[in-house]
Amino acid sequence: MTDTTHTTAEGGHGTAETIHYTADVAAVLPDGRVLLIERGHAPYAGLLALPGGHVDSGERALAAAVRELHEETGVLVDPDSLVLIGVYDEPGRDPRGRYVGAAYLARVPAGTEARAGDDAASVHWVDLDNLPEQLAFDHHLVLADARRILSGH
C-alpha cells in the first residue's frame, strides 16, 4: 500500500495513513462485573480485553459491536440498548497500525451467560472496581469512561 499526500485544513501537506475502524463493548451486569475476553491471538495474546473487532465494509460501528460481542462471547444484545462510551483514536493505541475505535456500554441482565468463541480463548466476568493491572490495547481507559457513565458522572 502506498501513502499519499493530501492537503490539510490549515493548508499544509501531510501523509495519509490507513485507518482501521473497530467497535468494542463493555457488557456490564447489575452487580458491576464486566465481560472480558482472554485474547487468543496477537497482539496481546493472553491478556484480557473487551469483546470487539473490526467494523466490516458497509457496516455501522453499532452493528459491528453487537456482532463482535455475539461472535466472541455468545451474548446477544439489542443494538438500541447500547450507549456510546466514546471514540478512541490515540495514535499508537494498537501495535498493528492506526486504529480508531468506537466503544459501547451494554447493561446486561443478571444471569447472562457467556462462552468463548471466535478470537476469545476464554471469557471472564470481572469486577469493574477490581480490574487487572494490564489490559489489552487502551481498554483500561474505555472502562474508566464506562464507570463514569454507570455512576452518573
Side-chain angles (χ1 to χ4, degrees):
M1 183 172 338
T2 305
D3 286 334
T4 59
T5 301
H6 67 280
T7 303
T8 66
E10 296 79 30
H13 293 278
T15 301
E17 63 183 324
T18 299
I19 297 176
H20 305 277
Y21 193 26
T22 61
D24 299 307
V25 181
V28 181
L29 293 168
D31 67 7
R33 289 181 295 151
V34 63
L35 182 57
L36 299 177
I37 64 160
E38 177 186 342
R39 287 188 52 82
H41 304 290
Y44 303 114
L47 288 183
L48 296 181
L50 292 167
H54 291 95
V55 176
D56 289 340
S57 178
E59 185 178 42
R60 296 183 65 211
L62 184 64
V66 170
R67 177 181 52 76
E68 287 287 346
L69 177 65
H70 188 251
E71 287 175 359
E72 293 185 356
T73 70
V75 174
L76 188 58
V77 295
D78 179 348
D80 294 334
S81 70
L82 295 182
V83 174
L84 181 66
I85 298 170
V87 174
Y88 299 84
D89 64 354
E90 184 69 30
R93 67 184 293 267
D94 190 308
R96 297 171 292 187
R98 185 68 190 269
Y99 278 75
V100 174
Y104 295 90
L105 174 64
R107 291 177 174 95
V108 296
T112 297
E113 293 188 22
R115 56 162 174 68
D118 199 21
D119 298 332
S122 62
V123 295
H124 305 271
W125 290 102
V126 179
D127 188 330
L128 263 173
D129 294 324
N130 193 23
L131 295 170
E133 277 189 40
Q134 188 174 9
L135 296 174
F137 308 104
D138 57 358
H139 291 177
H140 62 288
L141 298 174
V142 176
L143 289 170
D145 290 343
R147 276 196 301 274
R148 280 193 278 285
I149 291 170
L150 290 165
S151 68
H153 292 102

